[in-house]
Amino acid sequence: MKYLSIAICSLAFAVHCGAAEKPNILFIAVDDLRPELGCYGSPIAVSPNFDALAKEGLLFNRAYCQQAICRPSRASLMTGARPETTGLFHNYVSLRELQPNIVTLPQQLIAHGYDAAYCGKIFHLGDNDEGVSWNRESVKWLQGIKKPKSGFALPENQKIQTEDRTEMIAKYGDAAKRGLASGPAYESADVPDHAYVDGYETLRAIETMKQMVKEGDKPFFMALGFKKPHLNWVAPKKYWDMYDRDKIPMASETEAPLNGAAMGLHASFELRTRSGIPKTGDLDPELARTLKHAYLACVSYVDAQFGKMVAALEEAGVRDNTIIVVWGDHGWHLGDMGVWGKATNYEIATRVPMMIWSPTMKSHGAKTDALVELVDIYPTLCELAGVPIPDHVEGHSFVPLMDDPDQPWKKAAFSQYPNPALREWAANPLSPAMRETWFGPLIQEVETRIQQQQGDRWDRELFEQHLMGYTMRTDRYRLVLWRDHREPNVDPVFVELFDHQTDPLETKNVAGDFPDLVESLSQQLNLGWEAAL
């Protein structure tokens, strides 16, 4: 019995040590962040903490989301399944409504010995998956610090937002509740970081992480999701002050692609819902400059919060055994191609920042041009954590790139987006009420352009309800096939091809000049992601 007791104790110790030796994971999500960081070559962005991680870890120059809108992108990443599998193509349907049994990344980690908690925005709002993807609650209260009650810190902006909502709901009813009245697009207030939600959520995440470290019986998966630089662009004044307004470079290409798809771009719907933004026409150059300044201030604000989180890991003594992964859910047009917002199939909306550090990686401070996708994060973290990768996962672990960033890799990355020109800004189909709002003239304008381009192929039901743009990014090209989602084998109604060797800003659709190349690339796209491995 004595030896049996010793054996049991030894086994228990071994199991405990095994758990302790598993790496922790700090999982950082950033909303609407395009690769506008110093480490990505931005000439203006002040992002020292993200840049520091890039110098220690691996930065992905060519990482792509699966759909350039919040809910589908995050659902795809968190489940390891692509939009065609999840069935989630817009923001107004929940993940569990469509996929009640799919195993998410934190779910899988929990099943294999992890504690998982989150603060901020990880899944899209409404998809938090409480009690399933998370097995412990985050710290609810911070002593001496009040939770922000409004997106704005300044009373005058809070008043504008309230008045806008009252007016819009009185005028348009339920349609206004989906974001028609959001207050001003930006704010600069001389307030502490925690006066806005990202600063507050960072403090919560730090306290939650400290609790998990103190308990020490399990490795942790700590997810922290920043809402900025999503609209509204609110940040403490000190981050605005980091920039010389007159030196901020503006978009160099502000026209739609020559010969491009008329349905490829939207009318900046999301931005135009904000107070003080013109409902039609181009933005005044001074306003455009202010908006980009606001976006950059939010980038620096988020960078500072990330720095606080990493410093807390170091203070807790767990930095050396904590994988850190940073990702943005999609890109963002800042006047590029003449639009403001995400929600397109082009490079500026589908390309995202992504970087990783792990205790076991061999390559440090490197950059890779390998084509990778957000859906690849799930299997990568499973492999690094020694956790089985579920059969449903449609991504490909990029762990080998962390040792050899220059090795041959995927042949292509895949994204998709339903007709952005005739969808609401959350990618859902146009509601009848939207045509009755001040969006009506904008919708009519883009609809007319599509009708003129498509001629006899115009069909309202197809273009509003069923048209999907499928895009594939190879080493050199971006192909976009606009086709009926119900009949994927039918010829596309329009094709776009961009040559990144000669036209990295995608200013000209050259599909008509290279029919054989279009045919070859179309066949490759039709074979799908598995054939690209």
Side-chain angles (χ1 to χ4, degrees):
M1 289 296 294
K2 176 181 177 181
Y3 295 108
L4 179 59
S5 297
I6 292 173
I8 291 173
C9 290
S10 298
L11 178 60
F13 178 76
V15 170
H16 176 77
C17 288
E21 289 170 0
K22 278 185 175 292
N24 304 306
I25 301 171
L26 177 61
F27 186 78
I28 301 292
V30 192
D31 206 346
D32 286 15
L33 177 64
R34 70 192 209 164
E36 193 72 48
L37 300 170
C39 53
Y40 276 96
S42 171
I44 192 71
V46 180
S47 53
N49 296 293
F50 288 131
D51 298 349
L53 181 66
K55 289 178 182 178
E56 296 180 18
L58 176 63
L59 180 146
F60 297 88
N61 274 326
R62 298 195 294 183
Y64 296 89
C65 68
Q66 275 46 77
Q67 188 174 326
I69 197 75
C70 297
R71 199 167 206 152
S73 176
R74 290 164 183 264
S76 178
L77 186 155
M78 295 298 286
T79 63
R82 296 167 189 268
E84 289 295 312
T85 297
T86 66
L88 215 165
F89 305 117
H90 62 77
N91 282 354
Y92 290 114
V93 62
S94 72
L95 172 63
R96 290 303 182 188
E97 183 180 342
L98 299 178
Q99 298 293 334
N101 300 315
I102 199 165
V103 176
T104 67
L105 170 60
Q107 233 182 310
Q108 181 70 354
L109 293 171
I110 290 168
H112 291 84
Y114 275 76
D115 265 346
Y118 80 97
C119 292
K121 183 178 178 181
I122 302 300
F123 290 97
H124 188 65
L125 304 179
D127 272 348
N128 290 334
D129 215 28
E130 305 283 0
V132 179
S133 288
W134 317 102
N135 67 337
R136 65 179 296 149
E137 288 188 354
S138 297
V139 169
K140 287 187 175 182
W141 310 106
L142 297 169
Q143 187 173 1
I145 298 177
K146 294 182 179 179
K147 181 178 180 180
K149 293 183 178 180
S150 170
F152 298 101
L154 299 177
E156 57 266 36
N157 287 334
Q158 295 173 7
K159 184 173 182 288
I160 291 171
Q161 183 180 49
T162 299
E163 290 175 348
D164 282 355
R165 285 178 175 169
T166 301
E167 180 184 354
M168 289 291 106
I169 291 172
K171 194 171 184 179
Y172 298 122
D174 287 344
K177 296 178 182 179
R178 286 190 171 185
L180 272 182
S182 301
Y186 57 89
E187 178 179 271
S188 171
D190 193 3
V191 294
D193 288 4
H194 61 257
Y196 293 121
V197 67
D198 284 337
Y200 182 83
E201 292 299 318
T202 299
L203 296 180
R204 287 183 63 228
I206 289 171
E207 292 305 312
T208 302
M209 179 273 295
K210 287 180 178 177
Q211 283 190 0
M212 290 191 283
V213 171
K214 185 176 181 180
E215 292 173 13
D217 56 340
K218 291 182 180 181
F220 64 75
F221 177 81
M222 182 70 240
L224 173 57
F226 299 120
K227 291 187 176 180
K228 302 300 123 186
H230 189 290
L231 285 165
N232 298 319
W233 293 320
V234 299
K237 180 179 179 295
K238 63 183 177 182
Y239 299 106
W240 289 72
D241 292 344
M242 291 178 175
Y243 297 92
D244 182 338
R245 170 189 172 85
D246 295 332
K247 293 182 179 179
I248 294 174
M250 303 304 291
S252 59
E253 297 292 340
T254 58
E255 300 295 327
L258 182 65
N259 302 322
M263 54 278 190
L265 295 169
H266 50 73
S268 306
F269 293 133
E270 184 179 11
L271 176 63
R272 294 187 194 274
T273 64
R274 271 61 190 179
S275 175
I277 305 297
K279 306 311 177 191
T280 59
D282 296 332
L283 302 187
D284 175 87
E286 287 304 302
L287 174 60
R289 183 171 295 278
T290 297
L291 294 176
K292 187 164 184 182
H293 188 180
Y295 183 91
L296 289 166
C298 289
V299 170
S300 295
Y301 170 53
V302 164
D303 177 82
Q305 308 320 301
F306 171 64
K308 291 177 183 179
M309 191 72 219
V310 174
L313 289 178
E314 293 173 346
E315 184 179 335
V318 294
R319 170 69 172 83
D320 291 342
N321 192 41
T322 301
I323 297 164
I324 303 176
V325 60
V326 173
W327 53 274
D329 58 354
H330 43 68
W332 228 86
H333 293 251
L334 289 167
D336 312 88
M337 297 186 174
V339 303
W340 293 76
K342 53 248 187 188
T344 77
N345 275 309
Y346 300 119
E347 185 86 358
I348 201 74
T350 58
R351 180 171 170 245
V352 299
M354 188 168 78
M355 57 191 85
I356 192 168
W357 181 90
S358 85
T360 57
M361 66 189 300
K362 296 178 181 178
S363 183
H364 297 276
K367 297 182 179 182
T368 178
D369 288 328
L371 294 166
V372 294
E373 301 167 277
L374 289 183
V375 77
D376 297 336
I377 290 178
Y378 190 139
T380 299
L381 293 182
C382 283
E383 182 174 347
L384 290 172
V387 168
I389 300 170
D391 291 340
H392 77 269
V393 169
E394 296 174 326
H396 184 61
S397 170
F398 50 71
V399 167
L401 291 173
M402 298 170 69
D403 294 335
D404 180 8
D406 298 322
Q407 65 181 285
W409 204 245
K410 286 185 184 182
K411 299 181 182 70
F414 300 85
S415 308
Q416 61 189 96
Y417 201 93
N419 184 353
L422 295 179
R423 290 267 168 154
E424 295 180 17
W425 59 90
N428 50 306
L430 288 168
S431 62
M434 288 303 295
R435 291 184 180 274
E436 299 172 9
T437 68
W438 42 260
F439 277 98
L442 287 173
I443 295 167
Q444 184 60 52
E445 182 181 321
V446 294
E447 186 178 283
T448 298
R449 288 203 301 267
I450 296 171
Q451 290 173 339
Q452 290 173 344
Q453 183 181 72
Q454 294 298 316
D456 293 342
R457 289 173 296 187
W458 165 257
D459 177 279
R460 182 176 301 282
E461 182 182 356
L462 167 61
F463 278 79
E464 285 195 12
Q465 302 293 328
H466 309 296
L467 189 65
M468 182 73 75
Y470 294 93
T471 182
M472 179 180 70
R473 177 66 156 89
T474 68
D475 179 62
R476 178 170 176 175
Y477 299 102
R478 174 171 298 282
L479 178 75
V480 188
L481 300 183
W482 296 94
R483 54 171 47 148
D484 189 335
H485 183 256
R486 300 166 298 180
E487 300 181 76
N489 296 322
V490 173
D491 289 342
V493 301
F494 200 83
V495 178
E496 294 178 285
L497 177 66
F498 301 96
D499 185 346
H500 274 255
Q501 182 171 295
T502 60
D503 183 24
L505 297 181
E506 298 182 344
T507 63
K508 182 181 180 181
N509 172 23
V510 295
D513 300 330
F514 302 100
D516 292 342
L517 178 59
V518 166
E519 177 63 25
S520 173
L521 290 172
S522 296
Q523 291 178 8
Q524 183 179 350
L525 187 152
N526 291 337
L527 289 173
W529 64 270
E530 291 175 292
L533 299 180

